[in-house]
Amino acid sequence: MAVKWRLAVFAIFFGVLAAQAGERVSTARPSAQYPADPSWSALMSSMEQMDTAMMSVTQSGDADADFVQLMLPHHQAAIDMAKVQLLYGKDPQMRRLAQEIITDQQSEIELMQLWLKHHQASPLQLKDQIMKDQTPAVHPGRD
């Protein structure tokens, strides 16, 4: 039940953002467009930073790595937007959702960064690391 509710909230939220994004003039910065609404300006700033970061990713030819490289700024934007919600939002359910988003997305960012670190290592480095991780520690003077 909670998952369905969460999905519905995301669908509505991103649907509204997409509709509003289509209405704004591409040359106008949202912060200049909405100077009296700091929460909206902060949300749009998060979206712009995400767009810039995602557009700067170059295709590697590795679908897995490309997916992760594009998801990292997407997840960071979700965290940034959730922080805006905590700063300006008043609804207890939305504040709780924002806190969950921060926790979940940060955990997924860490997982993706770890995956990239291991994925970008050469196969020999990975084999050495796996062997090192699986080799029991030797303690002098102990049997």
Side-chain angles (χ1 to χ4, degrees):
M1 176 74 171
V3 173
K4 288 181 183 177
W5 179 82
R6 197 180 224 183
L7 290 173
V9 169
F10 281 125
I12 292 168
F13 182 72
F14 287 111
V16 169
L17 283 179
Q20 291 173 339
E23 293 173 3
R24 67 182 154 130
V25 178
S26 62
T27 58
R29 304 225 2 118
S31 56
Q33 204 171 0
Y34 304 99
D37 189 348
S39 65
W40 182 254
S41 181
L43 288 170
M44 289 296 99
S45 177
S46 296
M47 295 288 286
E48 286 180 351
Q49 290 173 9
M50 177 189 72
D51 289 345
T52 300
M54 290 177 79
M55 294 306 290
S56 71
V57 172
T58 56
Q59 183 180 5
S60 71
D62 179 335
D64 297 321
D66 291 345
F67 169 75
V68 171
Q69 292 287 8
L70 291 168
M71 288 304 292
L72 286 168
H74 175 74
H75 278 44
Q76 186 59 54
I79 290 170
D80 295 343
M81 293 171 76
K83 288 178 180 178
V84 171
Q85 169 59 22
L86 291 176
L87 188 61
Y88 296 102
K90 294 174 180 48
D91 184 274
Q93 287 178 315
M94 289 299 100
R95 292 179 58 78
R96 187 169 40 254
L97 177 63
Q99 290 169 337
E100 290 175 15
I101 287 170
I102 292 169
T103 301
D104 294 346
Q105 299 292 306
Q106 186 59 49
S107 175
E108 291 178 11
I109 285 173
E110 291 169 6
L111 177 66
M112 288 185 285
Q113 288 172 334
L114 182 62
W115 183 88
L116 275 176
K117 179 181 172 186
H118 288 291
H119 184 73
Q120 292 172 345
S122 73
L124 183 57
Q125 289 172 318
L126 285 176
K127 180 181 175 192
D128 290 345
Q129 183 62 43
I130 291 167
M131 293 301 292
K132 181 180 175 186
D133 292 345
Q134 293 177 351
T135 305
V138 178
H139 300 284
R142 294 188 197 171
D143 290 322

